[in-house]
Amino acid sequence: MPPDRNRTSNSQGRQKSCSECAKAKRRCDLRQPSCLRCTRQDLTCLYPPAPATTGTPSSHSASMTLESVADDDNLFSFDAPSYPNGHDVELLDFDFCGGLGSIYSFDDQLNGDVGGSLSLSRLNYLPGKLFSASHITPYAQSRVEYSIEQLKAAPAMMVFKNQTPWCHPNLYEDYMPRSLQDAHAACALYSSRNNANATFVARHITDHLKELLDSPVPTNSTELLARAQALVLYQIMLVFSGDIRYYGQVNALIRQLEDIGTRLQTVVMEETDPSDPLPLYPTIDARAAWKSFIFREAARRSLLILFHFLAMCNLMRGHLSSCSSHLATGNRVTLSAHLWSAASAFDFAVAWNEKKHHLVKELNFADVLETARADDIDIFGRMIMTGLMGIDDVKGWFHTRGGTY
C-alpha cells in the first residue's frame, strides 16, 4: 500500500481514489505522490486528506521525464511518449499545417489567430503546462497520423526493401557509409524485438546511436546525407518503440537532427534541375542523369522528412511556437512516382521524357493539385500533401483524379 495511506488513517475504513480517477470512475492504483493514470495523462493527482493529518494533498510534479508514455485514452492509435514541455526547440517549418499557397499561415494557427477547429492543441491545454498527445486536436491529427504510420514502418522497410520513402534503393548501390550501415543493422534488430531480446536490442541501438552522436559530422555530401538518414531512423525507433528504455535520448537527438538538417540544406541548395530530354540510346547519359536524380531527390526528400518529423516531435512535446520560415526558402522536390520508382536507366529516361514531373518549389503544391494525376504521387508525396492539407482533402483530391488514397 502507498506510504502514509493505510486503512487505520481512513475514517471510512477503505482506500480513497484520487480525485481524477474518482471523477472518471477508473480504478486508481493509489501510488504516491501521483497514481499511474494521472502520471500518464499529465493530470493533477490529488488524494483526499486523511482525517488525522493537516498537510496539503500531494500533487503531480510540474516536470515530467521522457519515460512517461501516453495512456490508452489518447487520440492516436499509435504509441507515442509524452514529452516534457521545454522551450529549447522551436517548431520547425516543414510541417503539417503550412497551409496551401502560404507556408506562413501556420504562424496564425500556432498563435491562436484562427478558429478553434483549426488550432493544433485542444482547449484543455494551457501553455506552459504539461503537454501530451491527448491535447492534440483532430485538426492536427488529420495531418500527422498518415505520416506517423509511414514513419513507424520505415525501419522494417529499410531492412526488407533497402529503402524508405525518402531513401532510394539504389542510393548506396556502390557504397553505404558506416553510419547508415549501423543504422540498417539497428533497424534489423528493432524489427525482430521480442520479450527475450528486448533489453539487448535496446542496449545495442542506444549504444550505436551514442557512438554516432559522438563522432564528428562529415563534410562529404554522401556521408552527410547518410548520417541524416541514419539519425531519422534512430529517432523513429526511439519515439515509436513503446519502450521506456529508448526515451532517454529523444531530446538530445532532436538537437542533432536540427543541426544535421541545417547542414543538409546547404547540400540541397547546391543541386540544380535539368530539363532537357534524355536519349534512350546509348544509355550513358540516361545512367548519369538517373544517378544524379537519385542523390538529388533523396537529399531533398530526406531534408523535408527530417523537418516534418521534427515538427511532429515538437508538437507532441507541446512546442507550439512560430515557424522558422527561412527553412522553406529555395527548397525544391520533384514529385513523380514514375521517376522515383524507375527500375533501370532506360525506364527512368522513358519516364523523364514522357511523364510530367512536378517540381514543387517552397512547398507550393498549386501545380500539383491542378495538373497531377493520382499515379504521379507516391508515399512520400502523400505524406507531405496530407501534412499540408489534411487526410480528407487529400482523399478527395485522389478521388477526383480517379485514384484512391
Side-chain angles (χ1 to χ4, degrees):
M1 296 181 68
D4 301 326
R5 289 192 55 78
N6 53 48
R7 293 185 183 274
T8 60
S9 65
N10 191 307
S11 60
Q12 297 183 13
R14 62 184 177 86
Q15 288 287 346
K16 286 292 188 74
S17 299
C18 72
S19 58
E20 292 291 342
C21 289
K23 181 170 61 177
K25 297 182 179 180
R26 297 288 292 273
R27 182 177 179 180
C28 182
D29 64 5
L30 306 175
R31 293 188 183 183
Q32 296 281 359
S34 176
C35 71
L36 183 59
R37 181 174 176 273
C38 287
T39 299
R40 285 179 170 177
Q41 296 193 42
D42 303 338
L43 302 174
T44 300
C45 188
L46 298 176
Y47 288 103
T53 63
T54 59
T56 57
S58 298
S59 62
H60 183 42
S61 172
S63 62
M64 174 174 281
T65 63
L66 285 167
E67 286 76 2
S68 300
V69 295
D71 193 25
D72 294 337
D73 294 333
N74 281 342
L75 293 172
F76 296 110
S77 59
F78 53 84
D79 295 323
S82 297
Y83 295 99
N85 184 30
H87 299 280
D88 56 336
V89 185
E90 289 188 354
L91 188 62
L92 296 178
D93 208 351
F94 296 112
D95 48 28
F96 29 79
C97 301
L100 242 1
S102 175
I103 190 170
Y104 305 101
S105 63
F106 190 50
D107 288 345
D108 296 335
Q109 297 161 10
L110 292 173
N111 295 317
D113 294 333
V114 295
S117 63
L118 300 183
S119 62
L120 300 184
S121 60
R122 289 179 177 268
L123 295 178
N124 64 346
Y125 170 64
L126 298 177
K129 301 298 183 181
L130 294 173
F131 189 93
S132 73
S134 64
H135 295 112
I136 299 174
T137 63
Y139 172 74
Q141 182 186 354
S142 72
R143 284 156 169 74
V144 300
E145 196 163 26
Y146 178 79
S147 289
I148 285 176
E149 291 304 319
Q150 301 307 319
L151 288 167
K152 289 171 64 177
M157 188 178 185
M158 189 68 186
V159 173
F160 294 106
K161 297 184 178 181
N162 200 40
Q163 64 176 317
T164 64
W166 56 91
C167 180
H168 196 278
N170 298 108
L171 177 60
Y172 302 108
E173 186 176 31
D174 298 327
Y175 164 68
M176 178 181 285
R178 175 64 182 272
S179 59
L180 198 56
Q181 289 182 37
D182 289 343
H184 194 290
C187 287
L189 285 173
Y190 178 81
S191 300
S192 63
R193 289 179 302 157
N194 56 43
N195 291 334
N197 66 17
T199 300
F200 167 78
V201 171
R203 183 185 303 121
H204 174 91
I205 292 174
T206 54
D207 285 353
H208 277 74
L209 173 57
K210 186 177 185 305
E211 290 179 7
L212 178 58
L213 296 180
D214 290 341
S215 64
V217 179
T219 56
N220 175 274
S221 57
T222 301
E223 295 274 354
L224 188 68
L225 176 57
R227 184 184 179 99
Q229 293 176 339
L231 291 176
V232 169
L233 288 171
Y234 280 118
Q235 185 75 328
I236 290 171
M237 291 183 277
L238 296 183
V239 170
F240 300 118
S241 66
D243 189 330
I244 195 173
R245 287 167 289 203
Y246 290 79
Y247 296 156
Q249 291 180 294
V250 170
N251 279 344
L253 190 48
I254 284 176
R255 291 187 289 272
Q256 291 283 337
L257 283 168
E258 289 178 319
D259 176 68
I260 201 72
T262 301
R263 296 170 186 263
L264 184 59
Q265 187 179 27
T266 302
V267 174
V268 167
M269 295 286 285
E270 294 173 352
E271 295 294 324
T272 58
D273 296 279
S275 58
D276 296 335
L278 293 174
L280 300 181
Y281 178 82
T283 60
I284 183 171
D285 289 340
R287 290 184 180 278
W290 188 35
K291 186 174 182 179
S292 176
F293 170 85
I294 288 173
F295 178 84
R296 179 173 68 250
E297 294 304 324
R300 290 172 171 178
R301 289 183 173 211
S302 297
L303 180 65
L304 278 173
I305 219 66
L306 188 154
F307 286 120
H308 187 48
F309 188 22
L310 275 173
M312 283 186 275
C313 290
N314 287 333
L315 175 63
M316 288 187 287
R317 300 166 78 221
H319 289 247
L320 306 181
S321 57
S322 299
C323 299
S324 300
S325 303
H326 71 281
L327 293 172
T329 303
N331 179 268
R332 297 184 177 191
V333 64
T334 302
L335 291 188
S336 171
H338 309 288
L339 294 178
W340 184 260
S341 61
S344 66
F346 172 79
D347 292 338
F348 175 80
V350 170
W352 182 271
N353 294 338
E354 299 180 3
K355 299 289 185 179
K356 182 175 175 61
H357 27 101
H358 304 273
L359 184 61
V360 177
K361 301 178 181 179
E362 299 183 357
L363 296 182
N364 186 341
F365 279 74
D367 177 69
V368 173
L369 296 178
E370 183 177 350
T371 64
R373 298 168 53 90
D375 60 358
D376 289 328
I377 311 301
D378 59 11
I379 292 177
F380 173 82
R382 296 177 188 215
M383 292 173 70
I384 301 302
M385 288 176 64
T386 302
L388 291 168
M389 300 168 60
I391 192 167
D392 285 339
D393 281 342
V394 178
K395 284 182 176 179
W397 181 86
F398 269 87
H399 183 75
T400 62
R401 294 300 192 272
T404 57
Y405 189 74

